[in-house]
Every structure is written in structure tokens, then in C-alpha cells.
Amino acid sequence: MKKKKVCKEIKTQKNTWASAFWTVSVAAYMFQCYQRNLAILIVPCLAMFLLIESNRIRFQIYRNHIPLYCFFFFYLTTSGAISYVNGTPISSVLRFYLILLAIPLAQCVREPGFNREWTILKVLATIKASIVLLTWLDVFIKQDYQSYRRWAQSTGAGDIYILNGIPRVQILGTSIFVTLFICEFMKERRLTFYGALMAVTALAAGNSAYVLGIFAFAVLYYGPVLLKWIKKKNWKLIFVIPISIVMVIVFGLYSLRSMKVKAEFSNAVRVEQIQVLTETNPIIGSGLGHSVSGGGVWRQYDGDTYFELQTLYIYNQIGIIGLGTFYLLTFIPYAGQKNRKKLMCYITYLIYTFFNPYCFDSTHIFSVLLITNCVE
């Protein structure tokens, strides 16, 4: 009896510590825009959470995963060692080394009691969403964003501005909202108030990538259903086809308008980055953590670790072999399942993050953990 009581107390303490580390990690991610020093807590606290929960975590191992992961491990180790010898700071090498190794592992993590973590995340995300929407409303009513923008740019929190009369609240911690919307929708099989809140907040941020993510999810989710209805000549097509056409037209017009607005700077920067980031060994890259030097007409890139085309920066470091192996590793856990919903959600994530710096970082780790544990 006494032994059972001790075991119960130990279990309770472990759950408490696990919840504490998860809460700190998520809170640091959500609110790093208000205190930039919080960013250093995200990955260590997330690692501690996984360590404490290791006895409850079930690793979904796939036959092709282990040898491929071992190859990836040795490939990154070799690339990092060569890069360090060539003068790359050890901090930069370790940062990308840990992130690139952690993402495929996070996809294999199945936490039976993830409802607790999901609830904590929902509460903190709701608080963050409320702040973003209140900021958006205040800027929209006053049509004045200068004070907010000065704060955001001076602290490195992001940017807040007005474009064509519509506020854009593009601050750190909002890139996860599209994934939260998708996971909530897939978990509940319907659009809930929370899911709608996440989608509206993502739209309030005003980033074209978030709009692309929501649109891509709608196409991937409803596309197969629509094809089945067309084959069966379902009467619902009378309503669905006009709605689908309207959605495509609206998204097309939005995309054309965004491209026109961004043509002068944002798109020009991306084109410039393609030129800068592809100046590497296409097979093996320039070495893990490699810093791009110099710049072009629009920007200087000395020491930068975040790019609008972050995927190309990883290619710049580890080449086709490294990036190709990474994608194989991250597709295997989802493609190997009969239910392809997780694969669909992951593809959506890759689509909307390719043209923005929301991948190969803590957002990527959180996203795959959520997709693995919330999408059924």
C-alpha cells in the first residue's frame, strides 16, 4: 500500500514537472515577441518535457527510418565538423545540428496523454490570439500604426503596419496559428470557435503565407471529396461547385494583388535570395551552419540565419543529399500510415512555410508534434 502511494506521488510530481516545462516552452514561444530573451527557453524546455515523459512516449518506428536516420546523423556530423574547421562558429553548427536531428524524431513521438498539453496550448494560444486581434482592432480604428511599429521593430518583435487600409500584425509567435487551426479542425471534424479564432488571427497577421496555408488545406481536404462527388454525380455539386469557383477566384485575386504590392521589394528580395543561397555546392552544400556573406541590391546577409526562403538556406548548408534525406525522413512516418490525413497536414505546413522563415526551427518541431498527436 505504501509502495503504491509512493509510486503515485512520483507519477504526480513527474506530470507536474512535465506540464511546467511544456507550459514554459509554449509560453516562451507565444510571448517571445514581448520579451526577446524568452526565445532561449523554447527548445531546452521542450527537450526537458520530452525527457520527463520518455517512459510514456511511444516511438512509432518504421523499418526504413532507423538506417536512414543513422545516415542522416553521420552526414550532419561530418558536415558540421568540416564547417567548424572552415571557420563556422560552433554555436551556429550546433543550432542547426540539433534542430535538423530533432524534427524527424519529434514526428515519431506519440504521447498517450497529449490532451493535457493540447489544453495548455489552446489556453495560451487563445490569450495570444486575443492580444493580436485587439492590436489589429486598435490600429484599424485609429488608422495609426506608427507607435506599434516603432515598438515591434526596436525590440525585434516583427512588424505592424497598414496596407490598403487593412492592418497587418506580423509579430513573432503567429506562424503556428495556421497549424493550430488545421489540427483543431482535424481533431474535432468540424470548424469550432477555437479553430475559427486561430484562422481569423492568422488572417489578421496579414501574411500571404498564412492565407496560402489555409487555402492549400481546404484544397487538399475537400479536393478528394469533390472528385468523389463528381464521379457519383452527387446533387450537392449544385452548391459546392459555385462556392469552390468563388473561393478560387477570391484567392486568385488576392494573390495577384499581393504580388503586385510585393513586386517592388518582397518578391525582389526573394529573387535575390535565390541567387545568393544557390551559390553553394549543389550536392553536399557549404557545410552545416554556414553563414552567407555579402549581399545584393536589397539586403546585406552577413551572419543572417533567417531568410524568406529558409528552405534554400538549409540547401545552402547541406546540399541536395542532406535536404533530400531530411524530407525522406519526415515523410516516412506519415506516408507509411493507411490514414493519409497526417501526411496531408504536413504537406500543407511545408507549402505555406517554404516562402517564409517558419520552418527548420522551433515552429517546425511544435508543428510535427501537434500533427502526430492531434490528427487522427
Side-chain angles (χ1 to χ4, degrees), residues 186-228:
M186 298 300 291
K187 191 176 177 68
E188 300 297 332
R189 299 290 192 276
R190 60 189 176 88
L191 182 62
T192 62
F193 173 79
Y194 175 75
L197 179 64
M198 296 300 102
V200 170
T201 306
L203 295 175
N207 193 309
S208 299
Y210 302 169
V211 179
L212 174 62
I214 294 172
F215 180 78
F217 172 72
V219 171
L220 292 173
Y221 184 83
Y222 289 108
V225 177
L226 187 60
L227 289 175
K228 287 181 181 178

Side-chain angles (χ1 to χ4, degrees), residues 39-296:
I40 62 175
L41 298 175
I42 300 172
V43 175
C45 287
L46 185 58
M48 286 301 299
F49 161 75
L50 293 174
L51 182 64
I52 293 172
E53 292 288 272
S54 59
N55 66 317
R56 297 176 61 196
I57 288 171
R58 297 199 303 269
F59 279 91
Q60 299 176 329
I61 301 299
Y62 299 88
R63 284 181 298 175
N64 297 329
H65 199 274
I66 296 176
L68 194 60
Y69 188 84
C70 289
F71 167 77
F72 190 55
F73 172 82
F74 286 113
Y75 181 85
L76 290 183
T77 303
T78 304
S79 179
I82 294 172
S83 184
Y84 175 69
V85 170
N86 289 334
T88 302
I90 188 64
S91 58
S92 182
V93 173
L94 287 176
R95 178 176 180 273
F96 287 100
Y97 184 74
L98 293 174
I99 286 173
L100 288 170
L101 288 177
I103 293 169
L105 283 180
Q107 281 186 287
C108 298
V109 170
R110 182 71 176 174
E111 226 294 36
F114 198 76
N115 285 335
R116 177 188 60 198
E117 285 75 34
W118 177 241
T119 301
I120 293 170
L121 179 56
K122 287 177 71 172
V123 170
L124 293 172
T126 300
I127 295 171
K128 176 64 176 285
S130 301
I131 295 171
V132 171
L133 292 176
L134 287 172
T135 303
W136 186 95
L137 190 62
D138 187 45
V139 173
F140 180 74
I141 293 172
K142 295 178 180 178
Q143 285 294 297
D144 180 18
Y145 61 90
Q146 293 299 334
S147 59
Y148 283 109
R149 191 173 206 182
R150 281 194 297 270
W151 162 77
Q153 293 184 339
S154 64
T155 59
D159 198 6
I160 300 173
Y161 58 97
I162 294 176
L163 185 62
N164 298 321
I166 306 298
R168 308 290 180 101
V169 186
Q170 298 179 354
I171 57 177
L172 294 171
T174 57
S175 55
I176 195 71
F177 283 114
V178 176
T179 302
L180 291 175
F181 155 70
I182 292 171
C183 289
E184 174 71 5
F185 186 90
M186 298 300 291
K187 191 176 177 68
E188 300 297 332
R189 299 290 192 276
R190 60 189 176 88
L191 182 62
T192 62
F193 173 79
Y194 175 75
L197 179 64
M198 296 300 102
V200 170
T201 306
L203 295 175
N207 193 309
S208 299
Y210 302 169
V211 179
L212 174 62
I214 294 172
F215 180 78
F217 172 72
V219 171
L220 292 173
Y221 184 83
Y222 289 108
V225 177
L226 187 60
L227 289 175
K228 287 181 181 178
W229 286 357
I230 291 173
K231 288 180 181 178
K232 294 180 179 181
K233 297 180 180 179
N234 194 306
W235 63 270
K236 295 178 182 178
L237 289 171
I238 298 172
F239 305 100
V240 174
I241 288 180
I243 293 172
S244 300
I245 292 172
V246 170
M247 285 180 63
V248 171
I249 292 173
V250 169
F251 180 75
L253 291 173
Y254 174 84
S255 299
L256 289 172
R257 187 176 181 182
S258 296
M259 288 176 66
K260 185 177 179 181
V261 171
K262 293 182 175 183
E264 185 177 348
F265 180 71
S266 296
N267 290 339
V269 169
R270 285 173 170 81
V271 171
E272 184 178 88
Q273 287 185 8
I274 291 174
Q275 298 171 346
V276 171
L277 296 175
T278 52
E279 290 180 359
T280 185
N281 185 311
I283 306 301
I284 61 173
S286 298
L288 191 63
H290 170 255
S291 297
V292 177
S293 59

